Amino acid sequence: MKTRTKVVVIGGGIAGCSTLYHLTQEGWSDVVLVERNELTSGTTWHSAAQVTNFGMNQTMVGLKTHSINLYKELAEDPEYPINYHHGDGGIRLANTEAQMQGYRHFASMARGMDVHFEVLDAEECARRHPLISTDNMIGGLWDPLDGDIDPAQLCQALARRARNAGAEVYRNTPVTALTQHKDDTWTVHTEHGDIDCDIVVNAGGYRVNEVGAMMDVHHPVASMEHQYFLTEDIPAIKDAGHRMPLIRCPISDYYCRQEKNGLLVGFYEQDCKTWGMDGIDPNFVNALCPDDLERVMDVLEGAFARMPALADVGIHTVVNGPITYTIDGAPLVGPIPGKRNAFCIIGLRAGLGEGGGHGWLLAQQIVHGEAQYDTWCIDPRRFGVHTNFELTALKAIEDYQNEFRFHFPHEHRPAGRNARTTPLTPVMAAESAEFTVVNGWERVDYIKPTPEFHPTLGFGFDEAFDVVAAEVKNVQENVGLCEVNGFNRFEITGADRHRFLDRMFCGAVTKRDGRVGLGYLLNHHGMVKGEATVANITASDRGPERVWYGSAAASELHDMDWLQTQLRADEDVKIRSLTNDQTILVLAGPKARDVLSVCARGDWSKQAFPWLSARECYIGYAPATVLGVSFSGELAYEIHVPNASLYAAYLALREAGGAYGMELFGARAVDAMRMEKGFLHWKADLLTEFDPFETGLDRFVKLDKGDFVGKAALIQRQEEGPRKKLVTFKIDATHAPAYGGGSLMQGDEVVGTVTSGDWGHRTGLNLGYAFVEPDMATEDNVMQLDHLGDLVDATVIASSPYDPNYSRMRS
């Protein structure tokens, strides 16, 4: 066994084998995989092994397409062919129009990745799968490339190719400990000796947290027992003359695919069961849980009704084994938060079907620092520090129970709610607030007109449309108050803080005390990595001169990792998170200054406190730091308050605002207003797939300043010219907004992809942002949006259609 290598991958299932293979494809051959038993002896060996192209966003579709293409290539390898039933086709059923709307959107989204789904009516579903009944069904989504693969053969084929490229695989080699050294390299301790390496990858399957504990980290991954059975032969399948398509049924919570001349039928029962919560037997290898068909009888009855042939056939095998879920159901693939040179590829509940793509994207991140797609949807840092095992288990149960039910827009499911709150959460609830969830934080979405108000879930504008419009109108005409909790906030101190930040941002960074600036961070490829507000706080009895770095709530762990990684040993810089200590109250509207002047001493005039100013003060008697910034396009102040004083500040503002028509507003109103101002959302519109020039951030780039992260690459990209351009557009539709991932068309050609959409209540426009081909980006250019199954005109307009001169927010 080697004693030194570049990368050690821990785990020999699909995650580990795919990562190892793809590392060799990216040019790294000095890599090793260690497996405690035999390859595929964990979840992989009992996988139902379905391979679909369906994904909830374009990144997921792209990695699944890569898996399908790779598996097809492996199956056709004359030296080592594997069993892959490619292109049997698959149908996701639906019994509501809202589900069908979702399928139409997903078809539009996949179209941009050159993946072509069909939306079928019930009769066509039954024609393509003659064993199903159309009772209580209105249609489905057809994936022509759906299929299934042999799990063991797939992993062995990947391992074989990796070995041929120079990688090594050590079976029956349990890892006993992991040690990280001062230079951030690792030693992997095994029962057969130690291996020193630069990078460690946790691909531990359902033993993920056993490996994680060796690094002193916990991963939000839990396991669920999952059952399927194999039937005896079914005459209709033997006589069909073709393989049956796969079925996934959110109506009855089951799936099935052909297995020889029978069916493999799997269940997602409501009375489901977690597994391994109190530890896993070391001898649980190539093993299963006890059969428990009684638990799935209600689901089985639904499957019988949908496929009557099941009621007349015998069962010859029952499989009940653990599968892993993360806290939001999507895998964790990428850097491990808070660790250097440590990555993971875990929580792959659909591991066989998409594992080829996950290993592909992870290998790119390890070798190049980023993948070719923005991978935030699977990034391990997308959750905050609140994701303990108990919360993860509750969310895993909920995801399991809704396996084939996608999230609707504005849908927030009940499990694990109130994981992160502020002193105002119950106060806002008493004010009839409806809450959304942002990185675990309960944030006001809007104020309900009545306690019984529950908008219909779907893809059209819902009953909250007029409620949000009224909130926006009051902000525009009077003044509104909004709590923004969970906003990511770092305090940066030290003599070199400005020099450090100047290197991190691609544009000018203000160094003046009491001033605020907005800037963008790039990765080493010159692509947009992050967006942050920088506020210079004057020294006071609350602290020394310091910088507050503020960014999106979801970026809490991502941004800390990035900043810490870029720090140099000779720099006097300290970074401390205040994210969980303070909350923002946003005061917005033309009367905001009047309200602030009533409840805070000092001169708040435009001359004394202009736009982009920062000042410490007291709101009533609550200590606060006020920033003159706006995300709504109106005159606005961010009032940052320690959580211990938050309620006192809120009461003072409410009392002061009474004379000025102040009302509460929520996140939906904020999102509608920011669309009208051309303001962008991180990881919706700001992506690592595009540089700042492509994203329309030219005014935030200063190439004539000193060196900054990504500068050389950005200069090279600028010389090559843009591949896409971000534009603002309006659509000729009033029933529904544009949704991220939707395809913009010119004839039969996809020429752009939507990133965000919402109704602009102040402009009366149905607005969207999209990355489009450069020759499509001129104002007044008309394209067609593939919009929930219809083609509607989408016209490029100037950014910031509301108050384009920014006069209101500077007033």
Side-chain angles (χ1 to χ4, degrees), residues 284-575:
F284 191 87
V285 178
N286 281 105
L288 294 171
C289 310
D291 300 349
D292 190 7
L293 287 182
E294 192 65 32
R295 202 169 70 228
V296 302
M297 288 309 296
D298 58 334
V299 184
L300 186 57
E301 290 175 7
F304 284 171
R306 181 64 56 211
M307 301 182 73
L310 287 174
D312 301 321
V313 66
I315 298 171
H316 73 70
T317 302
V318 177
V319 173
N320 184 19
I323 57 176
T324 55
Y325 279 74
T326 67
I327 198 166
D328 68 350
L332 302 176
V333 180
I336 295 175
K339 293 291 178 183
R340 301 279 186 92
N341 294 340
F343 295 81
C344 61
I345 176 167
I346 53 180
L348 277 61
R349 78 175 193 270
L352 262 293
E354 57 196 35
H358 287 309
W360 174 57
L361 294 180
L362 180 60
Q364 291 177 38
Q365 293 179 69
I366 292 171
V367 175
H368 307 295
E370 297 282 0
Q372 67 185 71
Y373 302 140
D374 189 298
T375 58
W376 183 245
C377 63
I378 55 175
D379 195 300
R381 300 164 297 185
R382 68 186 186 272
F383 310 114
V385 295
H386 65 291
T387 53
N388 57 53
F389 202 23
E390 285 71 15
L391 178 61
T392 301
L394 287 174
K395 296 302 290 183
I397 291 169
E398 184 177 65
D399 279 333
Y400 186 95
Q401 292 170 332
N402 291 278
E403 176 67 28
F404 298 131
R405 299 185 190 94
F406 54 79
H407 280 78
F408 286 102
H410 307 301
E411 178 185 8
H412 301 287
R413 292 172 179 169
R417 296 296 295 269
N418 293 309
R420 304 178 93 175
T421 60
T422 75
L424 290 188
T425 305
V427 177
M428 294 297 186
E431 295 275 10
S432 295
E434 178 70 20
F435 292 92
T436 184
V437 181
V438 181
N439 197 15
W441 293 94
E442 296 289 330
R443 186 178 292 181
V444 175
D445 209 19
Y446 56 87
I447 304 299
K448 297 186 290 186
T450 66
E452 298 77 25
F453 184 75
H454 297 293
T456 306
L457 291 177
F459 283 78
F461 289 119
D462 62 24
E463 296 86 343
F465 184 90
D466 291 337
V467 176
V468 174
E471 291 181 4
V472 171
K473 181 177 175 64
N474 191 64
V475 170
Q476 182 185 22
E477 297 180 352
N478 299 305
V479 59
L481 183 65
C482 174
E483 181 192 33
V484 181
N485 50 23
F487 184 76
N488 187 48
R489 182 188 294 99
F490 300 149
E491 181 181 87
I492 304 178
T493 55
D496 296 321
R497 63 189 184 282
H498 292 305
R499 185 167 57 123
F500 168 65
L501 289 171
D502 195 52
R503 195 176 74 252
M504 296 304 298
F505 286 85
C506 63
V509 182
T510 180
K511 300 177 178 62
R512 290 170 53 197
D513 279 354
R515 297 298 291 167
V516 181
L518 176 68
Y520 293 86
L521 302 87
L522 310 183
N523 61 26
H524 293 290
H525 303 283
M527 306 298 203
V528 176
K529 184 74 171 176
E531 175 192 62
T533 300
V534 173
N536 296 299
I537 311 299
T538 306
S540 70
D541 56 357
R542 301 183 195 176
E545 290 184 345
R546 58 206 182 277
V547 172
W548 275 7
Y549 170 108
S551 56
S555 70
E556 178 183 4
L557 299 182
H558 172 279
D559 282 16
M560 181 62 83
D561 266 6
W562 182 245
L563 295 177
Q564 293 281 10
T565 299
Q566 299 304 312
L567 272 176
R568 293 173 179 169
D570 62 348
E571 286 180 318
D572 177 18
V573 176
K574 295 181 179 61
I575 305 173

Side-chain angles (χ1 to χ4, degrees), residues 770-784:
F771 281 100
V772 302
E773 299 293 338
D775 59 353
M776 294 286 113
T778 55
E779 281 186 44
D780 299 323
N781 181 55
V782 180
M783 299 166 282
Q784 283 71 50

Side-chain angles (χ1 to χ4, degrees), residues 38-86:
E38 293 289 342
L39 297 185
T40 74
S41 58
T43 295
T44 300
W45 81 270
H46 61 74
S47 168
Q50 301 166 90
V51 183
T52 175
N53 236 348
F54 180 81
M56 296 293 290
N57 53 59
Q58 288 193 325
T59 295
M60 295 300 291
V61 171
L63 67 86
K64 291 184 178 189
T65 298
H66 175 84
S67 295
I68 289 172
N69 292 336
L70 172 62
Y71 298 171
K72 193 168 185 294
E73 178 190 337
L74 292 173
E76 295 170 353
D77 185 345
E79 294 183 7
Y80 194 87
I82 64 175
N83 293 323
Y84 175 29
H85 298 119
H86 171 263

Side-chain angles (χ1 to χ4, degrees), residues 722-741:
R723 300 158 303 149
K724 295 288 179 72
K725 294 288 289 184
L726 185 69
V727 299
T728 302
F729 64 91
K730 63 179 182 179
I731 62 172
D732 186 17
T734 59
H735 64 291
Y739 286 103

